[in-house]
Amino acid sequence: MHSPIKLGILGGGQLGRMLLLAAANYPVETYVLELAVDCPASLLCQHFVAGDIRDYDTVYRFGQGLDVITIEIEHVNTAALHALEREGVKVIPSPTVLDTIRDKGLQKAFYDQHDIATSPYILTEKATDLINHLDMLPAAHKLRTGGYDGKGVQIIQNASEAHLAFDKPCVLEQLVAIDKEIAVLVAISQTGDMAVYPPVEMVFDPKYNLVDMLLSPARLTNSQSKLATDMAVNVAQALGSAGLYAVELFLDKTGNLLVNETAPRAHNSGHQTIEGNYCSQYDMQVRILLGLPLGDTAIIAPSLMLNLIGADGQVGVAKYVGIDQALAISGLYVHLYGKTLTAPGRKMGHITIVGKKETDLLAMGRSVKDLIQVLAD
Amino acid sequence: MHSPIKLGILGGGQLGRMLLLAAANYPVETYVLELAVDCPASLLCQHFVAGDIRDYDTVYRFGQGLDVITIEIEHVNTAALHALEREGVKVIPSPTVLDTIRDKGLQKAFYDQHDIATSPYILTEKATDLINHLDMLPAAHKLRTGGYDGKGVQIIQNASEAHLAFDKPCVLEQLVAIDKEIAVLVAISQTGDMAVYPPVEMVFDPKYNLVDMLLSPARLTNSQSKLATDMAVNVAQALGSAGLYAVELFLDKTGNLLVNETAPRAHNSGHQTIEGNYCSQYDMQVRILLGLPLGDTAIIAPSLMLNLIGADGQVGVAKYVGIDQALAISGLYVHLYGKTLTAPGRKMGHITIVGKKETDLLAMGRSVKDLIQVLAD
């Protein structure tokens, strides 16, 4: 392997930060494009470029001269990526995949086209469209583009809540009676090799619509686990590009599995792979980008992940109360994202606990959640 | 825990680099002092200061305004550290420890004073002193200060080799008939808590006098393991300062354990803790520096570490031949240090293999060693 490969990352959040920490082990020269100079990734890359990832010229200029570009958020200028790809820069995942996925309407249509089970939906153009589709309620109204981390999603229970609808192009998705939310990470290499992580199980915080705790592996029957894995593989293969794909699925109360949505990158549901699996999702993404063999997705030990989220009513320089006590727990790992300022619901870091039995993990996770608070100093 | 703590590191080599990767998870602002701007640590710290760690004014100025300072190499200006300590900057390990350890003569005397078994030695001032101590041969002639990574050590087998002696202040140590070389890492927190890693076993490459492969845990009897651990604890406690201590010991062919030398920092013999133990030596060092609880030193799985060393006759921009094939092995991790140039014997990175049986690890280590070569491009 000849060094170094010039790797560009669009976006400078925590996913980019953890990708850079994994990339540090390889012969690679890292470049990050992000508007916010004090973003989580800026101090761990070799070359930081301040600029808007949604701007054609900025992305195009950033990509010229790089060997390979990836993303840590979907909301980037894909037209510039198409141009760079035509000029010989590797873009992983391909801009075509990003075009499909970052528009939730196109993403739903993609599942339909490929016979991948997903919840019933219709598209709406403006808020008043909703009154023609009251039969879909209760439903989730989701902005087709620009939503992130639970933002851009509005639950509409019944007709009396129709005024909550977004007045922008949206997907209206029928709510599913959810038994479990699970996620499957699929890696596809540049040569088409594939590696699949065992399914994980998510618990959402209904308040912030954020993943609250995550358990690896998911508590599924063998057949559920196999079906979820097969569906995730179908999604990743149908997308037709090298990349790392986080496929989120619902197991509904009647036992059906439905694909919810797919992220074409490292994902919040894969943080626990850093300690819990032989090859972390970030290491895997680096391997894909550099054309190295895929890593081993096997679980080393069951693990639990919880996000550290800015507490309600707290805005300002972050302090992390209770971290000290938490760190006395064997097998507990703290990952802070280097964000200076906290705000309610902001993802400031995460905790992973490994090496315990599943029931112990869940109990420990709950007590650690009560122990740690992200407050303003 | 209030953030961020300003942490300074003297030295910018691979130990500093891996310390920074661990520190990235905590609320800390990192500063590195090192002469070489393109050193392994420069791009992963938040503030890089180019300067000589052996210069009083440079170290003193670097340390002012920091909360805590540590080292990743002993050859630093300790007078400046004493001054900073008097002014309230935490220095971990204490400069007194560094004064003792970085002079191999004082270090040997320290073992004697504390009844810690070590090999017989005498001090020499100049090369010709050796003729008065031919009864000590075969012996190792070691520069009292400035040696590193096997440099500054000359084996003198008999009187006919006496001309090889250094013409500087040295320790002349009688050679021990070695059965095994082992190392024990001991962590001491700011409040005096202690955590000890299970002993590891080293195999040296006689050519470069570098650790060649390292096996964790060491193949010792329970009583040998307990005695080695007790001796390492004695050393660390006698040094009387918070810090991370790598105590290297010889098990001689008659079954005696002797302390060889101690490093007051993260150490080459602890690289495998990144994947092989719950708390890595770098994570442990960060915990000590930030006043956090010590981590769990327990082994997750047996592991093997091998250094990636610049091949003979190869000087220039490094390329890593065989890394691709090696990465196809499950449980194998590559850590490159970001050094642009390779040279014969230069430590360019390391490999850790985990999750196999001990005998498999040794066989795999040997085949991986044959597979990978660090050449000039």
Side-chain angles (χ1 to χ4, degrees):
Chain A
M1 168 163 219
H2 293 241
S3 66
I5 291 174
K6 291 184 182 182
L7 163 64
I9 304 170
L10 298 182
Q14 60 265 21
L15 299 172
R17 179 183 176 92
M18 289 183 271
L19 182 61
L20 289 167
L21 290 173
N25 291 316
Y26 294 94
V28 62
E29 194 173 343
T30 53
Y31 296 73
V32 166
L33 179 67
E34 165 69 50
L35 209 48
V37 175
D38 64 343
C39 66
S42 65
L43 290 162
L44 293 167
C45 63
Q46 285 160 275
H47 307 274
F48 180 75
V49 179
D52 188 345
I53 56 176
R54 293 164 302 184
D55 179 68
Y56 182 96
D57 288 340
T58 304
V59 172
Y60 181 71
R61 275 197 306 269
F62 174 75
Q64 284 182 312
L66 297 182
D67 297 308
V68 57
I69 299 187
T70 192
I71 52 112
E72 62 108 52
I73 182 167
E74 292 84 83
H75 309 298
V76 300
N77 192 294
T78 56
L81 292 179
H82 281 290
L84 289 165
E85 193 174 54
R86 279 192 299 273
E87 292 172 19
V89 178
K90 280 185 199 166
V91 181
I92 298 175
S94 82
T96 307
V97 166
L98 295 177
D99 286 334
T100 301
I101 284 188
R102 75 206 181 102
D103 180 328
K104 290 184 197 293
L106 295 181
Q107 192 182 144
K108 283 294 242 183
F110 169 85
Y111 299 136
D112 281 351
Q113 286 155 22
H114 291 88
D115 288 327
I116 291 159
T118 187
S119 59
Y121 73 101
I122 56 112
L123 302 181
T124 62
E125 286 299 311
K126 51 188 192 301
T128 51
D129 288 356
L130 221 71
I131 54 170
N132 303 320
H133 303 287
L134 296 177
D135 58 317
M136 294 284 289
L137 303 185
H141 204 217
K142 297 181 174 177
L143 292 177
R144 285 183 62 170
T145 59
Y148 192 63
D149 262 1
K151 299 179 191 79
V153 175
Q154 177 62 55
I155 303 301
I156 299 176
Q157 293 289 355
N158 51 50
S160 75
E161 291 184 359
H163 63 282
L164 297 173
F166 293 110
D167 197 27
K168 288 182 178 174
C170 277
V171 176
L172 185 71
E173 283 181 18
Q174 231 168 34
L175 284 190
V176 173
I178 296 171
D179 180 24
K180 281 201 171 70
E181 297 196 36
I182 61 180
V184 181
L185 274 166
V186 181
I188 297 184
S189 79
Q190 293 182 38
T191 54
D193 290 336
M194 192 171 61
V196 188
Y197 287 84
V200 299
E201 176 179 344
M202 296 178 287
V203 185
F204 270 76
D205 182 328
K207 188 163 177 192
Y208 294 118
N209 196 24
L210 279 173
V211 168
D212 184 30
M213 297 210 299
L214 183 145
L215 186 64
S216 167
R219 293 166 296 180
L220 296 173
T221 65
N222 284 346
S223 62
Q224 286 168 340
S225 181
K226 183 177 181 320
L227 181 57
T229 301
D230 288 348
M231 288 172 72
V233 164
N234 285 348
V235 171
Q237 288 188 326
L239 286 167
S241 161
L244 181 66
Y245 300 98
V247 182
E248 296 183 73
L249 302 102
F250 296 133
L251 178 66
D252 76 12
K253 293 204 188 280
T254 60
N256 292 317
L257 275 159
L258 301 168
V259 169
N260 175 25
E261 57 184 42
T262 300
R265 51 168 168 79
H267 191 252
N268 193 69
S269 65
H271 291 333
Q272 80 295 338
T273 58
I274 297 174
E275 292 93 4
N277 298 64
Y278 283 102
C279 181
S280 80
Q281 67 170 345
Y282 303 103
D283 190 9
M284 189 69 90
Q285 195 176 355
V286 174
R287 287 167 179 252
I288 295 167
L289 295 168
L290 303 191
L292 295 166
L294 296 180
D296 183 353
T297 59
I299 287 173
I300 297 171
S303 58
L304 184 113
M305 189 284 292
L306 55 95
N307 290 112
L308 296 178
I309 290 172
D312 266 356
Q314 300 280 321
V315 177
V317 174
K319 65 174 179 183
Y320 301 90
V321 175
I323 291 276
D324 311 46
Q325 293 106 293
L327 280 166
I329 298 169
S330 166
L332 182 145
Y333 299 86
V334 170
H335 297 263
L336 300 183
Y337 300 153
K339 297 179 184 178
T340 306
L341 301 176
T342 186
R346 190 172 193 206
K347 285 182 185 169
M348 301 297 289
H350 75 265
I351 298 264
T352 305
I353 311 174
V354 300
K356 318 285 170 196
K357 280 183 293 186
E358 169 195 299
T359 45
D360 294 342
L361 283 174
L362 288 165
M364 288 176 72
R366 283 185 205 104
S367 68
V368 169
K369 226 174 115 59
D370 290 339
L371 184 65
I372 300 180
Q373 281 187 292
V374 186
L375 305 178
D377 206 356
Chain B
M1 168 161 220
H2 293 240
S3 66
I5 290 174
K6 291 185 181 182
L7 164 64
I9 304 170
L10 298 182
Q14 60 264 20
L15 300 173
R17 179 184 176 92
M18 289 183 271
L19 182 62
L20 289 166
L21 290 172
N25 291 316
Y26 294 95
V28 62
E29 195 174 341
T30 54
Y31 296 74
V32 166
L33 178 67
E34 164 69 51
L35 208 49
V37 175
D38 65 341
C39 66
S42 65
L43 291 162
L44 292 166
C45 63
Q46 284 159 274
H47 307 275
F48 180 75
V49 179
D52 188 345
I53 56 177
R54 292 165 302 184
D55 179 67
Y56 182 95
D57 289 340
T58 305
V59 171
Y60 181 71
R61 276 197 306 270
F62 174 75
Q64 284 183 313
L66 297 181
D67 297 308
V68 56
I69 300 186
T70 192
I71 52 110
E72 62 107 52
I73 182 167
E74 292 85 81
H75 309 298
V76 301
N77 191 295
T78 55
L81 292 178
H82 281 289
L84 290 164
E85 193 175 52
R86 280 191 298 272
E87 293 172 20
V89 179
K90 280 184 198 166
V91 181
I92 299 174
S94 82
T96 307
V97 166
L98 296 177
D99 286 334
T100 301
I101 283 187
R102 74 205 182 103
D103 180 328
K104 289 184 198 293
L106 295 182
Q107 192 182 146
K108 283 294 241 184
F110 169 84
Y111 298 136
D112 282 350
Q113 285 153 24
H114 291 88
D115 288 328
I116 292 159
T118 187
S119 60
Y121 73 100
I122 54 111
L123 302 181
T124 62
E125 286 299 311
K126 51 188 193 298
T128 51
D129 288 354
L130 221 71
I131 55 170
N132 302 321
H133 302 286
L134 296 177
D135 57 319
M136 295 283 288
L137 303 186
H141 204 218
K142 296 181 177 179
L143 291 177
R144 285 183 62 168
T145 59
Y148 193 64
D149 262 2
K151 299 178 191 79
V153 175
Q154 177 62 56
I155 303 300
I156 299 177
Q157 293 289 355
N158 51 50
S160 75
E161 290 184 358
H163 64 282
L164 297 173
F166 293 111
D167 198 25
K168 288 184 178 173
C170 276
V171 175
L172 185 70
E173 282 181 18
Q174 229 168 36
L175 285 191
V176 173
I178 296 171
D179 180 23
K180 280 200 173 69
E181 297 196 36
I182 61 178
V184 181
L185 273 167
V186 181
I188 297 185
S189 79
Q190 293 182 39
T191 54
D193 290 336
M194 193 171 62
V196 188
Y197 287 84
V200 299
E201 176 179 343
M202 297 178 285
V203 184
F204 271 77
D205 183 327
K207 189 164 174 191
Y208 294 118
N209 196 24
L210 279 173
V211 169
D212 183 31
M213 297 209 300
L214 182 145
L215 185 65
S216 167
R219 293 165 296 180
L220 297 174
T221 65
N222 285 346
S223 61
Q224 286 168 340
S225 182
K226 183 175 182 321
L227 181 58
T229 301
D230 288 348
M231 288 173 73
V233 165
N234 285 348
V235 171
Q237 287 187 328
L239 286 167
S241 160
L244 182 67
Y245 300 99
V247 182
E248 296 182 75
L249 303 101
F250 296 133
L251 177 67
D252 76 13
K253 291 202 188 285
T254 60
N256 292 317
L257 275 161
L258 301 168
V259 169
N260 176 26
E261 57 186 39
T262 300
R265 51 167 169 80
H267 191 251
N268 193 70
S269 65
H271 290 334
Q272 80 295 339
T273 58
I274 297 174
E275 291 93 5
N277 298 63
Y278 283 101
C279 180
S280 80
Q281 66 169 346
Y282 304 103
D283 190 6
M284 189 68 90
Q285 195 175 356
V286 175
R287 288 167 178 251
I288 294 167
L289 295 168
L290 303 191
L292 295 166
L294 297 180
D296 183 353
T297 59
I299 287 173
I300 296 171
S303 59
L304 184 115
M305 189 282 293
L306 55 96
N307 290 112
L308 296 178
I309 291 171
D312 265 356
Q314 299 281 320
V315 177
V317 174
K319 64 174 180 182
Y320 302 90
V321 175
I323 290 277
D324 311 46
Q325 294 106 291
L327 280 166
I329 298 170
S330 167
L332 182 146
Y333 299 85
V334 170
H335 297 263
L336 301 182
Y337 300 153
K339 298 180 184 179
T340 306
L341 300 176
T342 186
R346 191 172 193 205
K347 285 183 185 168
M348 301 298 289
H350 75 265
I351 298 265
T352 305
I353 311 174
V354 300
K356 317 285 171 199
K357 280 182 295 187
E358 169 195 300
T359 46
D360 293 343
L361 283 175
L362 288 165
M364 287 175 73
R366 283 185 205 104
S367 69
V368 168
K369 224 174 116 61
D370 290 340
L371 184 64
I372 300 181
Q373 282 186 292
V374 186
L375 305 177
D377 204 357

